[in-house]
Amino acid sequence: MSELISVIVPIHNVAPYLHKCVDSVLKQSYTDLDILLIDDGSEDESGKICDEYASGDRRIRVLHKRRGGLSDARNAGLRAACGKYIYFLDGDDYIGEGLLRKAHEELTRENADVCCWGYTRISENGNILSKQSYETGEFAIETSRKKFDFLTERYLTERCGSSAWSRLYKAAVIKENNLLFEDDLTVQGEDTLFNMRYLLYIKKVCVIDETAYYYRMRNNSLSKGLKQTELRRYHRSMLYLWSYFDEAGMREFQEAFYIIYGIFMLDGWRYLLMRRGICEMQKQMGTLKEREFADTQLEKILYNRKKIIKYCGIVRGRICLHMAKMICRKKSWYDSLVYWIEELFLRMSAVLHKWGKRLC
């Protein structure tokens, strides 16, 4: 007997791509679906297209709402979902016809709590740009130690993806623990925050070799509304997560929180440093309202060098340490030189890895 999967599709002004998106769900080889089209205040023909689909397929329900953003639209879908499993699909993207069946089969066969996979980047007009896959396998995370290791060694280091659309979730875990997406527009990485909290309540993760999620690279999509050059968004996300650990009584996560802080903030630091320079990075960190919290985490990063390198890897770990020195203004000309050499090495390694995958 098949089990119902709720497919939640947040939609805002994506009329040119919406048919491709919804058709890809209707063509799924796994047919026991509860399809929720969440019209997030669209001003184009998106809402009308949704209604037309609903009139032609009883599995489709449409929710028209005032503009609230990606997280708010997903949350509306979660409240209305009635499936045993939850899947999120952005309205300007689409999926391969066998994706949900493969994910469901793996999830049930391995008795896992979430199934993850890779994706394919496509241009705005649908041309394939690149593919991203991840190491496959099953990962038991029953204990707090194993959860922390999985978060830091795999999840935050992008070894199993971080987006909500690259996962099939169990609805019971979400509803029993009142998990929702953070719709505060002052944070960065709503998907990351949601997934990190979800992982705290589960025991097993499986990753499959699949890239049949087609991610459309658009400048004005719902998921690209935040400025990566604003470090306060990254910092606010970390404050939000710290408060969550505190309320949940997860002291072991708070004691080693500097590792999560360093890994998560690293992308924001690097992005800003490469485009705006060290002075702008120091300025933004210096104007944080919660600078004392940031300084505490930075001092712990510098004090626990071996652990940072262990969880981040040698190159990323050393870059994280140099960044912390720069922000704390404890850098020397030597630190700056070493940072740029290791940054160059990291970028060259990524390019060589990509070329190697293409040759294979």
Side-chain angles (χ1 to χ4, degrees):
M1 181 178 179
S2 60
E3 299 169 312
L4 192 65
I5 297 177
S6 287
V7 180
I8 298 172
V9 187
I11 295 161
H12 178 72
N13 293 347
V14 291
Y17 318 102
L18 192 51
H19 286 288
K20 181 76 170 179
C21 173
V22 180
D23 286 344
S24 74
V25 179
L26 297 178
K27 292 177 181 177
Q28 288 297 297
S29 56
Y30 191 94
T31 58
D32 197 2
L33 303 175
D34 165 40
I35 305 168
L36 294 155
L37 305 181
I38 314 299
D39 175 21
D40 188 41
S42 295
E43 298 169 345
D44 62 1
E45 295 296 307
S46 295
K48 181 180 178 181
I49 294 172
C50 290
D51 291 334
E52 290 173 352
Y53 272 106
S55 65
D57 194 311
R58 61 180 180 79
R59 297 176 299 173
I60 297 177
R61 290 183 284 156
V62 179
L63 194 160
H64 298 282
K65 59 183 288 295
R66 297 178 64 178
R67 180 82 166 102
L70 178 62
S71 292
D72 188 63
R74 284 174 172 171
N75 290 339
L78 281 175
R79 295 186 184 99
C82 55
K84 183 175 181 179
Y85 301 97
I86 301 290
Y87 178 61
F88 299 99
L89 168 63
D90 287 355
D92 50 353
D93 301 333
Y94 64 95
I95 54 179
E97 66 178 30
L99 178 61
L100 295 182
R101 176 176 293 281
K102 185 175 181 179
H104 178 265
E105 288 176 351
E106 186 70 14
L107 198 66
T108 53
R109 179 170 57 249
E110 298 298 334
N111 193 28
D113 300 295
V114 63
C115 180
C116 313
W117 55 84
Y119 62 97
T120 299
R121 293 186 186 90
I122 61 173
S123 64
E124 194 156 358
N125 59 9
N127 295 324
I128 293 178
L129 302 175
S130 63
K131 292 179 181 288
Q132 176 65 63
S133 58
Y134 303 108
E135 178 186 349
T136 61
E138 294 74 45
F139 306 92
I141 55 171
E142 304 98 333
T143 65
S144 294
R145 179 76 267 170
K146 288 182 177 180
K147 291 181 193 296
F148 185 83
D149 288 345
F150 185 85
L151 283 172
T152 52
E153 295 178 4
R154 289 193 171 275
Y155 181 72
L156 288 174
T157 52
E158 284 292 320
R159 293 174 64 190
C160 65
S162 59
S163 299
W165 39 255
S166 63
R167 284 159 166 69
L168 183 62
Y169 302 90
K170 280 187 174 179
V173 175
I174 295 173
K175 294 181 179 181
E176 288 172 7
N177 297 288
N178 299 312
L179 300 180
L180 293 172
F181 288 87
E182 177 57 41
D183 57 8
D184 182 352
L185 295 180
T186 67
V187 303
Q188 176 80 14
E190 302 95 324
D191 287 21
T192 298
L193 292 176
F194 180 86
N195 286 325
M196 287 179 72
R197 286 179 292 144
Y198 184 90
L199 288 170
L200 297 178
Y201 300 105
I202 65 176
K203 296 182 179 181
K204 192 173 185 180
V205 178
C206 66
V207 182
I208 59 176
D209 182 18
E210 184 59 79
T211 58
Y213 184 95
Y214 296 88
Y215 176 68
R216 198 180 301 273
M217 304 295 290
R218 295 176 55 232
N219 292 326
N220 59 340
S221 68
L222 277 173
S223 59
K224 296 186 177 68
L226 300 180
K227 296 180 180 179
Q228 288 182 295
T229 53
E230 295 185 15
L231 285 179
R232 63 186 177 86
R233 297 185 186 277
Y234 287 84
H235 185 69
R236 288 289 298 171
S237 296
M238 291 295 93
L239 284 171
Y240 177 84
L241 192 60
W242 172 271
S243 298
Y244 188 83
F245 289 156
D246 188 46
E247 292 173 5
M250 297 176 177
R251 303 303 178 198
E252 63 272 30
F253 281 81
Q254 287 185 304
E255 290 173 3
F257 191 78
Y258 65 92
I259 297 174
I260 296 175
Y261 187 87
I263 296 173
F264 187 83
M265 293 292 290
L266 181 58
D267 286 337
W269 290 335
R270 290 175 61 205
Y271 187 94
L272 187 60
L273 183 64
M274 296 297 289
R275 287 158 177 77
R276 305 283 289 277
I278 185 172
C279 292
E280 179 64 21
M281 183 176 71
Q282 290 175 334
K283 176 183 176 182
Q284 288 198 23
M285 288 297 293
T287 56
L288 294 175
K289 292 181 180 179
E290 306 84 1
R291 182 58 198 259
E292 184 177 349
F293 175 82
D295 286 341
T296 299
Q297 304 306 318
L298 290 168
E299 290 292 342
K300 288 182 177 180
I301 287 172
L302 293 173
Y303 184 76
N304 294 276
R305 289 175 170 82
K306 290 184 179 180
K307 286 188 177 180
I308 291 297
I309 290 175
K310 172 189 174 183
Y311 285 101
C312 294
I314 295 176
V315 177
R316 283 177 61 88
R318 290 181 63 85
I319 289 176
C320 183
L321 290 169
H322 289 307
M323 288 287 193
K325 282 185 179 181
M326 290 179 187
I327 294 167
C328 292
R329 293 180 172 82
K330 295 183 178 181
K331 74 179 184 68
S332 63
W333 66 268
Y334 171 79
D335 292 314
S336 297
L337 177 61
V338 171
Y339 163 73
W340 288 111
I341 291 173
E342 291 179 336
E343 178 71 31
L344 178 62
F345 179 79
L346 187 65
R347 286 171 175 262
M348 288 178 63
S349 298
V351 171
L352 290 173
H353 178 68
K354 184 180 292 186
W355 284 353
K357 289 181 69 176
R358 287 181 178 177
L359 289 174
C360 293

